[in-house]
Amino acid sequence: MPLAAAALAGALVTGSALMGDDETPGLATGPLLTTRVAAATTHGTGTILQRASAAAEQAPAPAPRPGQYIYIESVTANTYVRTRDDKSEVVSDKPHRRQVWESPDGHKGWLIEPGNPKGGITLDTDVDRDAAYDALVTLPKDPDALLRRIYKMSEGQDNGPDQAAFSMIGDLISESYPPAGLEAALYQAAAKIPGVVTVDDAVDAAGRHGIAVARLDEVTGARDEWIFDRKTLTFLGERSVQVKEPKHANAEDRLIKPGTIRFTSAVTKRTLVEGMKELPSQRS
């Protein structure tokens, strides 16, 4: 799965977890997610990322206190190939609410999302996560040094080093809580990656229109898009759009046609709370 869908590693968020049993409400019940494939251009991309960097620099990002949890709420949906009785078809989730709690070290957490047991599932893990707050704190804020670190961290992932670096930055700005100054530096670093373009109009999972910074994976034919508010350049969400036929694809991959939205997400709340499963409105 692209972008933030893969940010919380493994079985907890996507694939088998979301494709659970066919009686689960809210999954594969929506119409197939599609969009017009908008043209992309390199013109103005650097300016947009600089403006996004400036907006992120001004946004408050208080550090979590001991015992606090990071709370991220979003609207999200996936598209995937489902096979029944030897017949395969492309299906999409209905966009749905997703709630994640995570400790700053990334070792404790909770997920509430359709497709999982009622009340949610644990995200507790002994595995260190690159997008956990404590890991993000260790990253350099200088864009050049940061980009070198990103290339090293993403080495061997995705289809080529440039695509891997772009995808990793997408993971670090989506379902995460970047410390002060880091999100701004990530946008400046992204501006230095070859092949990064601008898409004039993109829509997140909550239906909000914005301008996107994107990169096309030439192997999969999917374009990863980070969507920003057109006026404020604050980050809204992301999506992955099939732009062209994939290379070296198997029969199932070829069922996903250009114009299909493979994944979409809209961040609707990102804050700190005092305990696991606590909602921001519950704070005294």
Side-chain angles (χ1 to χ4, degrees):
M1 303 306 299
L3 304 172
L8 287 176
L12 32 132
V13 286
T14 59
S16 59
L18 281 184
M19 286 186 276
D21 75 70
D22 297 329
E23 301 304 318
T24 302
L27 298 181
T29 58
L32 184 63
L33 296 169
T34 61
T35 186
R36 178 183 64 85
V37 177
T41 177
T42 58
H43 180 70
T45 303
T47 300
I48 290 169
L49 284 168
Q50 286 297 328
R51 290 178 60 199
S53 176
E57 191 71 57
Q58 296 172 10
R65 300 190 307 272
Q68 285 189 313
Y69 281 80
I70 294 156
Y71 174 76
I72 300 174
E73 185 174 321
S74 60
V75 178
T76 187
N78 288 282
T79 295
Y80 51 89
V81 176
R82 181 175 63 190
T83 301
R84 289 177 173 171
D85 300 324
D86 296 325
K87 180 182 178 181
S88 297
E89 61 179 338
V90 182
V91 296
S92 295
D93 305 334
K94 183 178 180 180
H96 55 269
R97 186 188 193 193
R98 174 181 167 88
Q99 297 167 278
V100 170
W101 291 260
E102 185 179 75
S103 60
D105 63 10
H107 292 164
K108 293 184 178 297
W110 195 260
L111 167 68
I112 297 178
E113 184 177 26
N116 291 312
K118 186 177 180 180
I121 61 171
T122 181
L123 302 183
D124 289 2
T125 179
D126 293 329
V127 177
D128 292 332
R129 226 171 47 82
D130 291 333
Y133 182 85
D134 287 357
L136 295 177
V137 168
T138 68
L139 295 178
K141 306 291 177 56
D142 174 77
D144 291 312
L146 177 59
L147 187 59
R148 288 193 295 271
R149 179 78 69 85
I150 293 293
Y151 272 101
K152 185 174 181 60
M153 291 167 60
S154 61
E155 188 174 2
Q157 301 176 25
D158 227 312
N159 294 309
D162 295 331
Q163 185 63 31
F166 187 83
S167 295
M168 172 157 280
I169 292 176
D171 289 343
L172 299 184
I173 64 174
S174 51
E175 197 166 89
S176 68
Y177 186 83
L182 182 63
E183 185 177 357
L186 286 167
Y187 295 141
Q188 294 180 48
K192 302 173 183 291
I193 299 175
V196 178
V197 297
T198 299
V199 179
D200 187 60
D201 184 54
V203 185
D204 71 9
R208 300 176 297 190
H209 284 257
I211 192 166
V213 171
R215 195 178 193 283
L216 174 65
D217 186 325
E218 294 287 352
V219 176
T220 67
R223 185 170 68 195
D224 292 346
E225 301 176 350
W226 308 338
I227 305 170
F228 299 91
D229 182 275
R230 189 176 297 278
K231 292 182 179 180
T232 65
L233 270 295
T234 55
F235 179 76
L236 297 178
E238 57 187 345
R239 67 180 185 177
S240 179
V241 177
Q242 194 70 30
V243 171
K244 61 181 184 178
E245 293 287 343
K247 295 180 180 178
H248 317 300
N250 58 34
E252 285 194 354
D253 289 338
R254 293 192 182 280
L255 292 175
I256 301 178
K257 301 299 183 184
T260 302
I261 299 174
R262 301 176 62 105
F263 170 76
T264 182
S265 177
V267 177
T268 54
K269 189 168 288 292
R270 189 193 319 246
T271 190
L272 299 173
V273 294
E274 298 303 322
M276 185 85 80
K277 306 182 193 177
E278 179 184 293
L279 295 175
S281 60
Q282 295 175 325
R283 285 189 290 180
S284 58

